[in-house]
Amino acid sequence: MEHNHNSKFELTKSVVMHVTQRTKSKKDKNGHRPPLDRPLLVIGDRVIEEVQSFKYLGIIINSQLQWKIQAQKAIEKATKFVLQYQRLTKITTGIRPSLMRTLYISTVLPKMTYGHDVWYTPPLKPAGSKKSKGSVSALRQMKRIQRIATTVISGGLRTTPNELVDAHSNLMPIDLALLKICHRATVRMLTLPKSHPLHRHIHVAQISNPKKPLL
């Protein structure tokens, strides 16, 4: 293909990632099941490096299709932005609350929820279970980030309940905002035309239930 298009592949920038959740049946000395033996990918005289995670279109995918690394990176970016955002609020020379709200919606929230409909699993507590399943840890950290922003916007005290500062900041609670993003993405996918390449796969996923959350 590179000869047909007169475009030589840059093999030094190429990596290979084997995507599977299967492991060996025999545990190692630490009690963990090691991954399956995987063949090397050799192109020409170069062995392509194998990686456990890879960033594609801004989303970090790992070899087991779990999204913990992506969630951590999203939280790190949002935390960095909200701390810088907090510095802009001064009693005498700071930005007005209405502009701070706009800044939060246009900068911090997109950084925190980019690719959210791919990697985020809304926490649910199955019947008879004591613990919720899904992106519980990520949701907890995103609540903390939004609380910093809403406290700044509303001028509330540190002891003010989250629901109150959200309401005074005219922002949805973060868990409802994340559900809204997931709902919007689901509606968009379910209304794809039959000619779309993803239509059949989405229909199959619609009528089947995953065995466990991916995060």
Side-chain angles (χ1 to χ4, degrees):
M1 183 179 294
E2 62 178 335
H3 297 292
N4 296 337
H5 295 275
N6 194 24
S7 178
K8 187 177 180 180
F9 292 135
E10 183 56 61
L11 297 180
T12 58
K13 298 180 180 179
S14 300
V15 295
V16 60
M17 183 173 66
H18 299 279
V19 180
T20 179
Q21 293 186 348
R22 293 184 177 182
T23 57
K24 294 181 179 179
S25 57
K26 187 177 180 180
K27 297 182 180 180
D28 58 18
K29 60 181 180 180
N30 296 322
H32 302 295
R33 292 183 177 180
L36 299 175
D37 295 328
R38 295 156 179 167
L40 296 176
L41 176 61
V42 181
I43 300 179
D45 57 350
R46 179 178 292 273
V47 178
I48 305 302
E49 178 188 3
E50 181 182 350
V51 296
Q52 297 300 318
S53 61
F54 185 75
K55 188 174 183 180
Y56 182 70
L57 297 178
I59 303 293
I60 301 176
I61 307 171
N62 74 346
S63 59
Q64 294 186 345
L65 286 183
Q66 295 174 337
W67 308 100
K68 292 182 179 179
I69 299 177
Q70 169 60 30
Q72 291 171 359
K73 292 296 182 182
I75 297 299
E76 288 176 8
K77 287 183 179 179
T79 302
K80 179 181 178 181
F81 269 75
V82 81
L83 292 178
Q84 294 176 350
Y85 165 98
Q86 193 177 23
R87 297 176 184 174
L88 299 175
T89 57
K90 295 181 180 180
I91 297 176
T92 56
T93 59
I95 298 177
R96 289 180 298 168
S98 59
L99 295 180
M100 293 300 292
R101 177 182 177 275
T102 302
L103 187 61
Y104 172 74
I105 294 174
S106 60
T107 58
V108 180
L109 203 56
K111 285 289 181 182
M112 187 164 56
T113 60
Y114 178 76
H116 165 84
D117 49 309
V118 175
W119 60 265
Y120 178 76
T121 304
L124 295 173
K125 182 179 289 186
S129 176
K130 295 182 179 180
K131 296 183 179 180
S132 298
K133 295 184 178 181
S135 305
V136 179
S137 177
L139 177 59
R140 186 184 305 115
Q141 295 178 71
M142 285 187 277
K143 284 183 177 180
R144 293 174 182 170
I145 292 172
Q146 176 153 311
R147 177 171 177 79
I148 295 173
T150 52
T151 303
V152 167
I153 294 170
S154 64
L157 301 175
R158 293 184 179 182
T159 56
T160 307
N162 289 348
E163 295 78 6
L164 192 58
V165 289
D166 286 341
H168 279 277
S169 302
N170 195 21
L171 291 170
M172 294 179 65
I174 190 64
D175 50 341
L176 298 182
L178 299 179
L179 282 175
K180 183 178 179 181
I181 295 174
C182 289
H183 179 266
R184 183 169 62 239
T186 302
V187 172
R188 183 174 66 249
M189 290 187 292
L190 290 175
T191 53
L192 292 175
K194 292 184 178 180
S195 58
H196 196 281
L198 294 178
H199 181 272
R200 184 176 65 85
H201 301 284
I202 293 171
H203 178 71
V204 172
Q206 179 188 1
I207 59 178
S208 61
N209 293 323
K211 296 181 179 179
K212 60 179 180 179
L214 294 178
L215 183 64

